[in-house]
Amino acid sequence: MFDMELVTSGLKPTPATPEALAAMEELGPGDYEIFSEKLNMILEEGKKVMTLMGISSMLHSGDTMAGLYTAEGDLVTTACGTYLHCVTGQIPVKFILRYFEQDPSVGVREGDVFYCNEAIYGGIHNPDQFAIMPIFHEGAIVSWVVVGAHQSETGGKEPGGEITTAVSRHDEGMKLTPIKIGENYRLKTDILMMMENFISRAPRMQVTDVKARVAACDRIRLRVQELAAKRGARFLSGLFRKMIKESEDGARKRISTWNDGVYRHVVFIDTTGAEASLLRVPIAVHKKGDHLTIDLTGTSPEHEGSFQALAPSVRAHCAVNLYQFPFHDFPISAGTMEPVDFIIPHGTIMDPDPEAAISCSPITASAVFPLLGVAISKMMYDSPQRDLVCGFCSSNSSAPMIACTNQHGAKVVDFMGFPLNAWGLSARHDMDGIDAFGFPHGPWGKGPDVEDIERAFPLLHLYQKNMPDSGGFGRYRGGNGVTIAYVVHKVPYAVFTATTKESKFPTHTGLFGGYSETVVPAIRVIETDAIAAMEDGTVRLADGDVDLVKDNPFGGSIVMEHQARPARVVHRGEIICSSTQGGGGYGDVLERPAVEVAEDVRTRAITRETAQRVYHVLLEPGTFTVDVEATDAARMEARRARLARARPYGEFMREWTQKRPHPQALKFFGSWPDAKPNREVIRI
């Protein structure tokens, strides 16, 4: 059963009732300021409870949230983690109210605990799991609490939950529509045992983290009931409505300061998960008055792979950008999205059939990050928000997932949190981007300590550092990503997967003349024993991916492949690398002062070769001092070469529109050049 109407409408706040509006008007001086902050602190406490009790790395790395919702299921406020889960957390609450509240076989009663991981009803993909509790006061529902976090195993055809070879939802493992897992404040053992059976690659992690989510819900439930006992249900209703209205009013006022128009951008994805191919995602942001319409018409059609996302996930990813940049200073609530509508054509990779594989949904839907980053930057440039002009980031993750029985004898399946949370932020209009800034889905994410990872997983970090030249070049340089190499040790083998794209084509193209970030291949070193080589004490350690590939200091075979990697076995002593993308650049490289380029070389943000070939800055041999005369001559020559290549717009377009990628790259693109469906997709 798929209630697509619910997931389409569920992200918008329910129209306020006259009673709620009257209660809002009854708030006294200071009530909104004091008690909205009190709710935020209650949620922070709940999220902390989950983090302390849970054991998987994603709980500790920040892919989490605790959210408070109205009695109707609208987001009031949240503690993040990631914005994604607080946005989609509205859907399962509204599902429960629509289908279970009046159903005597289920019902909604005080002390109930619900749970789900269904991508259509609350998740982004199967790994996202939510605990949900109604909050009662004097016999009636006054609120809901949802606590969510990514769980790195779903029991699918490959470990890790993000399954590059999945061809339908049936390959992706456990998918629970909202289900009651507890009554009278007691969890049901039979349900927990069912989950253990589904998640048999990591049963202890599953059950412990379920209990962590539920404990967080219950702590928040208790605190809200304490507040309701003091101030009453009507006060809460008015406070909730005020918090939603404040963010809606703020969003409308801000949008109205931008110039009306249509702002466009386009990006390309380079894999379906199972097969490298060019896919297109264009955007047109229509701005009129105080309203935005985000239109993804022209997106490539759906395919058999797992690199596609359901429309609610795409809307939530758009919210991630909006919450972080243009509306970063407003309360986080459903009201922010009230003036925003979407056009997401069904049958595309951004809204495939509900049976389509979507386990790599976040990697696909996050294509809207650079899309909105560039389109809204153009919109805000001539506005009081010029300081927020920034291409945001790429749309990758690069984090490998490890599955094995670890050195302590426990079965574990988990993401490596550091590369996940170490993307490069793009350059702004007035400053460089940030190296390894964090997790774009949730800026509160953090990189786990190396020691913590090595204690829990049989992985030795060969290196973990910023990666030179991985950010986009420009007047302002995009932030760099990172490069990491793991050596399997203490166990005979481990299985890893990776769900990364952008080995062939970047999704961030830079802003106002800035360069795109660098694409990076996936690297393995097999048929070697790096542990034994290091114990010997004579081997020179690699200083990064380039060093590792060029010198191959540990011997064995270097395997270069696409970053979207299905499950692979890595034996003891073999090496797997994980590199993350940087952010896009801003403006003309020839306008970057030569001394800043020299400083980039000194700090190893870029290489000498990039300084010379891209920025046309020459340094005195063996120093970081600019050769001014040679640099001026090189830049003058670069400008002459540009003028020699220049041609009238019409002439350029006549040639450009005749170009066409190789047919092999267009297998899943759709018809060329308009990307309309041109083949039948059959799922069994």
Side-chain angles (χ1 to χ4, degrees):
M1 180 188 73
F2 302 120
D3 187 343
M4 303 313 292
E5 186 282 325
L6 174 66
V7 299
T8 299
S9 64
L11 301 189
K12 289 276 190 179
T14 307
T17 63
E19 293 76 15
L21 292 174
M24 182 179 74
E25 296 301 323
E26 294 168 8
L27 293 175
D31 280 347
Y32 167 73
E33 291 79 4
I34 293 171
F35 289 96
S36 62
E37 186 59 22
K38 184 175 181 63
L39 292 179
N40 291 336
M41 297 307 294
I42 288 172
L43 292 169
E44 287 289 349
E45 180 186 358
K47 188 166 80 71
K48 188 72 173 178
V49 167
M50 174 178 62
T51 304
L52 291 174
M53 290 186 63
I55 58 175
S56 65
S57 70
M58 295 299 279
L59 285 174
H60 296 275
S61 301
D63 197 356
T64 61
M65 78 90 199
L68 192 69
Y69 301 80
T70 66
E72 296 78 24
D74 299 319
L75 175 64
V76 175
T77 185
T78 182
C80 299
T82 169
Y83 293 106
L84 283 179
H85 299 331
C86 72
V87 174
T88 58
Q90 298 170 109
I91 304 298
V93 173
K94 293 179 180 181
F95 179 94
I96 293 167
L97 288 168
R98 178 173 292 187
Y99 291 102
F100 295 160
E101 187 177 26
Q102 303 304 319
D103 184 338
S105 71
V106 186
V108 179
R109 291 177 281 275
E110 185 166 2
D112 284 348
V113 183
F114 293 88
Y115 206 81
C116 68
N117 79 321
E118 169 54 56
I120 295 175
Y121 300 126
I124 301 299
H125 52 163
N126 294 41
D128 296 330
Q129 299 189 14
F130 295 83
I132 306 156
M133 287 187 74
I135 301 176
F136 280 75
H137 175 69
E138 296 180 345
I141 298 173
V142 294
S143 182
W144 291 80
V145 55
V146 180
V147 172
H150 183 108
Q151 194 77 29
S152 297
E153 173 58 15
T154 60
K157 63 180 289 194
E158 292 185 62
E162 296 187 4
I163 301 163
T164 59
T165 58
V167 297
S168 78
R169 295 297 310 279
H170 305 286
D171 295 327
E172 298 176 329
M174 183 177 80
K175 49 176 186 171
L176 303 174
T177 54
I179 182 174
K180 190 180 289 189
I181 66 168
E183 295 177 319
N184 297 318
Y185 301 110
R186 183 183 293 272
L187 292 177
K188 295 167 67 68
T189 303
D190 55 342
I191 300 293
L192 294 178
M193 292 180 70
M194 179 196 73
M195 291 187 193
E196 281 185 322
N197 189 42
F198 271 124
I199 314 298
S200 58
R201 294 192 189 102
R204 170 176 164 270
M205 299 177 81
Q206 173 67 31
V207 173
T208 303
D209 290 344
V210 168
K211 292 179 178 177
R213 293 180 183 86
V214 173
C217 278
D218 198 54
R219 178 65 62 87
I220 294 166
R221 184 272 307 172
L222 180 65
R223 297 288 188 240
V224 174
Q225 284 183 328
E226 290 172 350
L227 181 58
K230 292 180 181 177
R231 301 300 300 261
R234 186 174 176 84
F235 174 81
L236 285 184
S237 173
L239 178 63
F240 292 169
R241 182 50 53 184
K242 177 74 171 176
M243 294 174 72
I244 293 172
K245 191 171 188 311
E246 282 291 309
S247 55
E248 177 189 343
D249 291 348
R252 290 190 182 281
K253 184 176 180 181
R254 180 146 300 167
I255 292 170
S256 68
T257 66
W258 304 332
N259 293 321
D260 285 356
V262 183
Y263 300 82
R264 302 181 188 276
H265 190 47
V266 61
V267 300
F268 297 90
I269 296 172
D270 64 6
T271 181
T272 66
E275 191 170 346
S277 179
L278 195 66
L279 307 170
R280 184 176 72 173
V281 189
I283 196 168
V285 183
H286 299 258
K287 185 273 171 184
K288 185 173 184 180
D290 63 358
H291 185 266
L292 297 178
T293 300
I294 296 173
D295 185 355
L296 298 182
T297 298
T299 297
S300 286
E302 63 180 283
H303 49 66
E304 293 86 349
S306 59
F307 273 63
Q308 41 200 355
L310 297 169
S313 171
V314 177
R315 294 187 183 93
H317 278 78
C318 290
V320 169
N321 178 289
L322 299 173
Y323 281 134
Q324 288 192 57
F325 278 86
F327 308 133
H328 71 98
D329 49 344
F330 300 149
I332 304 171
S333 85
T336 306
M337 301 304 290
E338 176 64 29
V340 183
D341 286 314
F342 295 88
I343 299 173
I344 305 176
H346 185 60
T348 66
I349 61 170
M350 292 303 193
D351 190 29
D353 185 270
E355 291 281 354
I358 45 84
S359 54
C360 294
S361 166
I363 313 301
T364 311
S366 56
V368 303
F369 291 168
L371 283 170
L372 282 172
V374 173
I376 293 184
S377 286
K378 295 174 183 175
M379 198 182 306
M380 291 190 298
Y381 190 84
D382 180 30
S383 82
Q385 288 79 51
R386 181 180 293 187
D387 286 347
L388 298 177
V389 165
C390 174
F392 193 19
C393 64
S394 175
S395 62
N396 234 340
S397 67
S398 302
M401 284 162 282
I402 304 296
C404 62
T405 298
N406 69 7
Q407 61 269 42
H408 311 295
K411 297 170 74 174
V412 294
V413 180
D414 217 339
F415 255 122
M416 295 296 100
F418 189 90
L420 185 71
N421 291 351
W423 302 22
L425 186 66
S426 299
R428 290 179 18 157
H429 85 105
D430 58 351
M431 62 187 293
D432 291 342
I434 300 173
D435 298 335
F437 92 101
F439 185 39
H441 296 77
W444 299 271
K446 65 176 184 178
D449 291 336
V450 168
E451 290 77 12
D452 286 342
I453 295 299
E454 292 188 347
R455 175 179 53 81
F457 299 92
L459 299 173
L460 177 71
H461 290 65
L462 191 59
Y463 49 78
Q464 178 171 289
K465 57 199 306 182
N466 286 352
M467 186 175 185
D469 292 339
S470 54
F473 314 122
R475 166 60 189 91
Y476 295 103
R477 178 180 60 80
N480 280 330
V482 299
T483 178
I484 304 173
Y486 305 98
V487 183
V488 175
H489 71 150
K490 296 185 178 178
V491 298
Y493 64 87
V495 175
F496 85 99
T497 69
T499 56
T500 307
K501 55 185 188 301
E502 302 188 36
S503 277
K504 303 286 186 182
F505 209 96
T507 60
H508 204 298
T509 53
L511 189 59
F512 298 139
Y515 280 40
S516 70
E517 90 276 10
T518 303
V519 295
V520 289
I523 303 167
R524 282 185 291 152
V525 185
I526 61 174
E527 300 165 351
T528 187
D529 190 342
I531 299 296
M534 286 187 282
E535 288 174 345
D536 179 62
T538 58
V539 67
R540 184 184 67 80
L541 299 181
D543 191 34
D545 286 0
V546 174
D547 201 26
L548 181 69
V549 172
K550 286 175 62 178
D551 298 342
N552 192 15
F554 302 102
S557 301
I558 303 285
V559 179
M560 307 283 283
E561 54 193 353
H562 196 286
Q563 290 233 45
R565 292 180 277 186
R568 275 119 163 81
V569 174
V570 183
H571 294 90
R572 182 185 185 279
E574 295 183 331
I575 302 168
I576 54 175
C577 299
S578 180
S579 302
T580 69
Q581 255 75 25
Y586 181 104
D588 188 351
V589 292
L590 297 181
E591 294 180 0
R592 186 167 181 81
V595 292
E596 294 183 20
V597 176
E599 180 65 6
D600 288 341
V601 175
R602 190 189 69 78
T603 59
R604 304 185 68 182
I606 65 171
T607 59
R608 284 178 180 266
E609 182 180 10
T610 295
Q612 181 170 342
R613 295 183 56 186
V614 177
Y615 287 100
H616 300 279
V617 171
L618 286 84
L619 304 181
E620 301 282 359
T623 74
F624 301 107
T625 302
V626 177
D627 183 334
V628 176
E629 187 174 340
T631 296
D632 288 345
R635 289 190 156 184
M636 182 70 74
E637 179 56 33
R639 290 188 171 92
R640 287 197 193 99
R642 284 182 178 179
L643 289 172
R645 293 194 301 269
R647 60 191 61 191
Y649 178 77
E651 181 182 332
F652 168 80
M653 288 303 294
R654 279 193 295 276
E655 288 187 16
W656 182 254
T657 54
Q658 298 304 309
K659 295 180 180 293
R660 179 188 177 98
H662 191 281
Q664 185 179 356
L666 297 177
K667 181 176 179 180
F668 299 99
F669 183 89
S671 57
W672 177 264
D674 51 8
K676 292 183 177 177
N678 60 351
R679 53 186 290 275
E680 184 178 16
V681 177
I682 299 175
R683 300 186 180 89
I684 300 174

